[in-house]
Amino acid sequence: MNIIFLGDDILKYFRTDGIRGEAYTEVTLQLAYLIGNFFKDSDKPIVIGMDTRASSPDLAQALYEGLKGHKDIRFAGVIPTPGLMYYSLKNETIAIMITASHNPYKDNGIKVICDGYKITKKLSEEIELFIEQNKNVSFNNISNEKIDIDYSVNKTYIEFLKSRMIENDLKVLFDGANGAYSYILKELFDEKQIINCNPDGININQNCGSTDLSSLIHELKVRKYDLGIAFDGDGDRIMVVDKYNRVYEGDFLTYVFAVNLLEEGMLTGNTVVFTEIVNPGILNKLKDLGVETITTEVGDHHISKALEREYVLGGESSGHIINKTIVPFGDGLSNALELIKVLATKPKKLHEYSFEIKFYYSKTINIYFNNNDFIISQKLKDKVQRYASRNKLHLILRKSGTEKAIRIFIYKPISKGINKNITKIVKMIEND
């Protein structure tokens, strides 16, 4: 039995993956302008990128206005977050990405990157202090000035991806989520190999991508392909489905990479990093293989922090996977290409890796709220803990860092009673 409570130590603006909220009301033009203003005097080049949301060009323009006076500003246009991070890593720049990742199009957000890595909590706190101190600065209107696109940013990333592609016989279908990967997928693959790559500003993540695999599953069956790989709106997540409708989440894909890195002698420290919501069955199997595991709070920045020592691999169920033998950050398409390489060069099929694991039965529920001021009270924590202890549950209760929600994760070695358990805990939360 294990009970974990997470998610209370979150900054006002920066949450588990940057700033995120409803565009124009929570993620405002003023906010983007002030973040630009914070970096105006930086000695490093500044690169701006964005996803395909209708609000992204306005926020990018506001950010650019705030940066005015800086000696070297580059605008990449639409680019996936890992593409911007790759350019930042190779060119030692600050990069600022306008995206709300897997959220609906009405939301947007801002991720800040330095030399290929997401910024530290300390720098996030400094930016927040600057924003609070300059709240009286008014900025509501953007100019009509057109920002020239520096196409070399995307080109640098595309050339890297091409270097990782291999000839293979697998029939793979890619779902671009009508997001930031849309144009890159069109450049790298035949049109018969891609779906949901026609963004219109509002269809990002809409019934597609890593958060909704229904269209990918359907097209996989119609086209009789072997494997479907879906990304989220900004491209740092990956989800996989096979022709038998079996879905493979990030934790399982991390396990597959771990097994192969172990075989090749590349799993440094014989250690893999997961988040606390990993299925315990995966941890148990890795232990049997002699592999140590570290668990962190949810969020790829926590995984990245845990990998800072000598470790090379970490991932979470949502599809964020960091494989430092490729790049030191989550990169959806790089991980997809690596998976294709593993399946094309090793004898095992993807589903055969699951035969090795005795998965726990699991259930996940989100409870949504109208605002983000709610807290998980100590009284509620104590109540849930007593219930979980009595029922021998592995349970995680956490406040979301990206949405106005509480997330509940329950794991049991057997399925009996799991729906009753989750219903009981939901009632506890709603009555708190």
Side-chain angles (χ1 to χ4, degrees), residues 356-383:
E356 308 164 355
I357 304 168
K358 187 176 180 181
F359 287 99
Y360 280 46
Y361 292 91
S362 64
K363 196 85 172 179
T364 303
I365 296 290
N366 293 331
I367 302 177
Y368 292 94
F369 294 83
N370 292 327
N371 60 63
N372 209 39
D373 295 331
F374 62 89
I375 61 170
I376 303 174
S377 68
Q378 189 59 50
K379 178 183 175 183
L380 176 61
K381 289 179 182 179
D382 292 342
K383 193 174 181 180

Side-chain angles (χ1 to χ4, degrees), residues 21-55:
E22 187 174 337
Y24 301 114
T25 58
E26 294 174 300
V27 181
T28 63
L29 298 179
Q30 182 202 35
L31 184 62
Y33 174 83
L34 288 175
I35 290 173
N37 222 230
F38 177 87
F39 287 104
K40 183 175 68 173
D41 297 322
S42 172
D43 292 331
K44 289 180 174 290
I46 309 284
V47 189
I48 302 169
M50 64 182 187
D51 68 18
T52 57
R53 293 164 207 275
S55 58

Side-chain angles (χ1 to χ4, degrees), residues 110-126:
I110 299 172
K111 297 180 181 182
V112 184
I113 300 144
C114 185
D115 296 343
Y117 292 85
K118 291 178 183 176
I119 57 171
T120 62
K121 184 179 179 183
K122 182 176 182 297
L123 184 53
S124 299
E125 290 170 343
E126 291 174 11

Side-chain angles (χ1 to χ4, degrees), residues 147-198:
I147 314 174
D148 292 332
I149 296 177
D150 183 347
Y151 293 100
S152 70
V153 183
N154 260 299
K155 184 179 178 181
T156 298
Y157 182 53
I158 289 169
E159 290 304 312
F160 163 69
L161 293 171
K162 285 180 177 178
S163 74
R164 299 203 56 79
M165 297 173 69
I166 64 168
E167 292 289 334
N168 67 90
D169 296 326
L170 288 172
K171 297 177 71 176
V172 182
L173 185 62
F174 298 93
D175 182 344
N178 292 312
Y181 262 134
S182 295
Y183 306 117
I184 287 178
L185 289 175
K186 286 181 177 180
E187 182 156 345
L188 293 179
F189 302 103
D190 185 272
E191 64 178 11
K192 294 178 181 179
Q193 293 177 270
I194 59 175
I195 61 171
N196 299 317
C197 289
N198 296 296

